[in-house]
């Protein structure tokens, strides 16, 4: 029954996107169909086949090994404190090492070339322009702001519809620099499955809402992704960016957790409910159409609503407290849904990034900022729903 509901959920998301479309005549239904088929295949292959499960386990083993190297550095600096389970040390400090590692892989052109050719393959298969496909794939590795900066020379040439797709695709993603943190909080297999599926979720829904034509295509220059002149500069910049990211995430968590405590104190006094309980009921219908069992839709909706209102880290901190008591299906769906930057704070970051590149385009994007967030959130819902079909 939940599978049927999940299929209906996918159709509802596509239907809502069609209703929101500003150019229904130019919707590339072939591309939508191909990308949806690819998503379904990836979810089935990675979750329901022996080969897929083995691949995921091998990837998890590699990540765990990489994380062990990071823990060596953390242990050297913080000594015995690193073994006491402090979130800041165990989770956030890992962002520094992973960020430096990504910077090394970028400087050596390993990642830029892989992203360019994978993005080119996506564009060729689906018929979507290269820039949008490149940003979507790039976002899977570097997250929202870096993905946009990697095509900054193209930003001024993008039509409003293309800019919308670029912004939305970058939001339905996470940075691999924070991936290590996620892997230490929620089941690794769902994190890894969500990454590639997110690429297509953002493209599917945003290209329906704001269709583009193939004639508007431009070439991608990977040199824009490599600002450093030496390996040691790359290591240094990656470390600094990682440290800044860790501090920003930590600062945001302090603020959001404190604000939630304040809001919950006020709400408890007025209506006898917490913020999480209220958004749980608001998001319960969404959780239902994603295929989550009826008995768990309020709890799942609470996590989903918290993620949009705050960020994925705040939601994950709440999620780890309850998912041991939830069904495998719910854990998988919610985990996949959480792997994106689709929240109110991130849309502000996106606008700031485009503002730094081109004022006119930032002004254009600000007019549809909430629409970008809505479609990006729908993309996260689509990812979770597709994962749920195979659990």
């Amino acid at each position: 029954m939940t599978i049927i509901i999940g299929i209906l959920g996918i159709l509802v998301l596509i239907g809502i996107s069609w209703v929101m479309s500003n150019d229904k005549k130019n919707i590339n239904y072939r591309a939508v169909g191909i990308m949806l088929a690819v998503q379904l295949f990836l979810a089935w292959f990675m979750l329901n086949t022996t080969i897929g499960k083995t691949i995921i386990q091998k990837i998890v083993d590699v990540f765990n090994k990489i994380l062990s190297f990071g823990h060596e550095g953390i242990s050297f600096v913080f000594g015995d404190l690193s073994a006491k389970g402090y979130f800041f040390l165990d989770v956030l400090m890992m962002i520094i090492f992973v960020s430096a590692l990504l910077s090394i892989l970028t400087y050596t052109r390993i990642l830029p070339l892989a992203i360019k050719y994978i993005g080119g393959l996506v564009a060729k298969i689906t018929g979507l322009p290269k820039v949008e496909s490149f940003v979507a794939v790039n976002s899977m590795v570097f997250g929202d702001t870096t993905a946009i900066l990697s095509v900054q020379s193209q930003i001024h040439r993008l039509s409003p519809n293309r800019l919308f797709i670029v912004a939305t695709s970058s939001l339905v993603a996470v940075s691999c620099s924070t991936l290590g943190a996620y892997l230490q909080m929620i089941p690794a297999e769902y994190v890894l499955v969500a990454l590639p599926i997110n690429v297509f979720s953002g493209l599917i829904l945003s290209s329906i809402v704001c269709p583009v034509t193939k004639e508007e295509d431009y070439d991608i220059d990977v040199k824009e992704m490599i600002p450093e002149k030496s390996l040691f500069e790359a290591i240094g910049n990656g470390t600094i960016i990682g440290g800044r990211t860790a501090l920003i995430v930590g600062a945001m968590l302090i603020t959001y957790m404190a604000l939630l405590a304040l809001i919950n104190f006020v709400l408890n006094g007025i209506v006898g409910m917490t913020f999480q309980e209220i958004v749980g009921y608001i998001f319960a219908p969404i959780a239902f159409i994603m295929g989550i069992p009826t008995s768990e839709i309020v709890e799942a909706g609470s996590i989903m609503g918290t993620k949009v209102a705050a960020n994925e880290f705040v939601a994950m901190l709440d999620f780890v407290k309850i998912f041991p008591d939830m069904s495998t299906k719910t854990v998988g769906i919610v985990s996949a849904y959480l792997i994106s930057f689709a929240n109110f704070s991130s849309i502000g970051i996106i606008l700031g990034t485009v503002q730094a590149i081109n004022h006119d385009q930032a002004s254009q994007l600000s007019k549809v900022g909430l629409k970008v967030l809505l479609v990006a959130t729908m993309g996260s819902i689509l990812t979770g729903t597709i994962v749920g079909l195979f659990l």
Side-chain angles (χ1 to χ4, degrees), residues 226-379:
I226 311 172
E228 292 85 9
K229 303 300 181 183
S230 71
L231 177 62
F232 291 106
E233 184 183 359
I235 295 172
N237 287 348
T239 301
I240 291 171
I241 291 171
R244 186 184 301 128
T245 302
L247 289 175
I248 290 173
V249 172
M252 290 178 66
L253 285 175
I254 291 171
T255 299
Y256 277 116
M257 296 303 287
L259 283 174
L260 278 176
L262 173 61
I263 292 170
N264 286 339
F265 175 79
V266 174
L267 289 175
N268 264 320
I270 298 175
V271 297
M273 297 176 68
T274 65
F275 171 81
Q276 289 93 329
E277 289 171 336
I278 293 173
V279 297
Y281 285 104
I282 294 173
F283 275 77
I286 298 174
F288 176 75
I289 68 168
M290 293 173 74
I292 292 175
T294 307
S295 60
E296 298 175 332
I297 57 174
V298 175
E299 286 181 296
S302 171
I303 303 300
M304 293 164 60
T306 300
K307 186 251 187 182
V308 175
N311 59 47
E312 75 280 6
F313 275 106
V314 177
M316 286 180 189
L317 288 172
D318 281 346
F319 190 43
V320 295
K321 299 174 185 175
I322 64 173
F323 78 64
D325 300 321
M326 305 185 86
S327 65
T328 300
K329 194 176 189 70
T330 298
V331 171
I333 291 173
V334 176
S335 296
Y337 165 87
L338 291 175
I339 308 302
S340 85
F341 288 148
N343 57 64
F344 280 100
S345 58
S346 289
I347 191 62
I349 295 172
I350 291 288
L351 287 170
T353 302
V354 177
Q355 175 73 39
I357 299 171
N358 187 288
H359 175 76
D360 292 338
Q361 291 289 58
S363 177
Q364 175 66 39
L365 187 59
S366 66
K367 297 176 183 177
V368 293
L370 289 178
K371 190 176 182 180
V372 169
L373 177 57
L374 172 60
V375 177
T377 301
M378 289 167 58

Side-chain angles (χ1 to χ4, degrees), residues 81-127:
L81 288 175
S82 63
K84 295 187 180 294
Y86 294 122
F87 180 81
F88 182 77
L89 300 182
D90 283 358
V91 178
L92 296 187
M93 286 295 97
M94 187 62 66
I95 295 175
I96 298 174
F97 173 64
V98 176
S99 177
L101 189 59
L102 286 175
S103 190
I104 293 171
L105 294 175
T106 301
Y107 174 75
T108 55
R109 296 199 176 193
I110 294 173
L111 282 179
L113 288 174
I115 291 170
K116 177 180 180 179
Y117 289 115
I118 294 173
L121 180 62
V122 171
K124 184 170 292 187
I125 292 174
T126 64

Side-chain angles (χ1 to χ4, degrees), residues 114-163:
I115 291 170
K116 177 180 180 179
Y117 289 115
I118 294 173
L121 180 62
V122 171
K124 184 170 292 187
I125 292 174
T126 64
L128 294 175
K130 292 179 183 176
V131 172
E132 285 85 327
S133 302
F134 179 81
V135 169
V137 175
N138 198 355
S139 299
M140 181 176 67
V141 179
F142 294 106
D144 45 16
T145 55
T146 304
I148 290 178
L149 288 172
S150 68
V151 293
Q152 57 184 303
S153 65
Q154 310 286 351
I155 292 295
H156 71 284
R157 302 160 69 178
L158 298 180
S159 65
N161 276 17
R162 297 194 69 182
L163 183 64

